[in-house]
Amino acid sequence: FMRFNYNYKEKYLFEFNGRYDGSSLFPTNRRYNFFPSFSAGYNVAKEKFWSHLTNILSTFKLRGSYGTLGDVSTLLNQGNYYPYQNALITQPPNNTNWEFAGGRQPYVQVGGLTDPNITWAKPSMLDFGLDVAALDNRLQGTFDWYRRKTKDLFGPAQSYPSVLGVNPPQKNNASIQTTGFDLTIGWQDKVGSLSYNASFILSNYKGVVLSYPNPSKIISDWYNGAQMGAIWGYTAVDLFQSQAEIDKSAKQTKIYSNWKPGDVHYKDLNGDGQIDWGKNTVDSSGDLSIIGNSTPEFSYGFNFGLTWKGFDLNGFVQGIGERKFFSSSNYFWGITGNQWQGSPLTSNLNRYTPDNPNGYFPNYYMSGEMNKNMQTSTRYLLNAAYFRMKNLQLGYTVPTRITNKAHISRLRIYGSVENLFTIAPGLHNKFQVDPEVLISDSKIYPIQRTFSVGINLNLQ
């Protein structure tokens, strides 16, 4: 690797970096690549014409950068350490149904296909930023706009006909682009014996698939132009209230053969008189449409601190402004098919019955018939935006005129609480789940609220 820096009077700044990396994860002829990057900055506040503004705006720096790196994280996260090598897969006795001599025997099967041309994924980042400091550096701010492209990405294995018989190969088969911004604003000051500081962070991004080998644009897979995190689903009208309403509505028999009052009524978007998924492609999606996006939007954080006559108070708040979430978990639905996936909670009591026709949840079924009402739809698409008091700490530092008598240079007593409270009305009025960590089945150990007290002691 190499690095070159140039700094002219802290006004013009330039840096070049270069790396030549190799990895044994790839074939010998595809193992090495050179990855360069450079950045440049212009601190306008160092110009002579800016001198009369220095007391107000001491820093005003424009900067830009562009660079590439090699990435193997997707392979490592999949545990796919040598994807170019053919391998045989051994299965232990408990994974086979074949029995010999009264017992199950291990066996060996052919592994998946491999691609001999697999190599580095190549993310590149273009960034433009602004740094400012004003009012004797009491106010500071940073803004970055970026565009990140990744070529030769290890996307999902391309779909092949099932007659292939083995797993398709992992390939450098995709490219994606992420565009976003990061904003940080901070303030610190002192008024008499009170010192305080605060900082606010806001970020947002959106991702799109630039290329992927899916010419039919099957919506259950990546396709060119797909928005990362897009949720395809049905538009729900309401719950059926009568057999007459079912009879005059679009037929939903492709989803399930039998429908009853209390089941979900899906909207006929294409007007063909039946509810289906068409060819399951972008151009023929039947009554499916993009109903939301699971990408967190407008993530924010707020830090603050106060000190006054030995007392100090510090806190951190975080949250997300917008995010959609659909859960297939029995934690949400209560019952998802049988006794093995049943966990009815008090939140599931608001269910349709003839006496409660406006219930939130649909009919109760202790069978696979429940799946017809668990189709991804607008009715059960949740807003996962949240506001969380992540940390709050209060402390007191004993005056030195007291501690010095005991040969103690500093004595601070404090108490703190983690995850004091979370506001997530779009989730928590339906079921209890941690909005910071969301997965489809929601089976994550609940977040804990932790109280603690402590002492910081420094002896002389």
Side-chain angles (χ1 to χ4, degrees), residues 376-392:
T376 304
S377 71
T378 54
R379 180 176 179 85
Y380 299 109
L381 190 67
L382 304 177
N383 183 2
Y386 74 94
F387 175 93
R388 168 168 288 167
M389 189 74 206
K390 188 71 174 179
N391 175 269
L392 186 66

Side-chain angles (χ1 to χ4, degrees), residues 38-49:
F38 66 90
S39 61
Y42 174 38
N43 193 352
V44 185
K46 295 297 181 179
E47 295 284 3
K48 291 183 179 179
F49 64 77

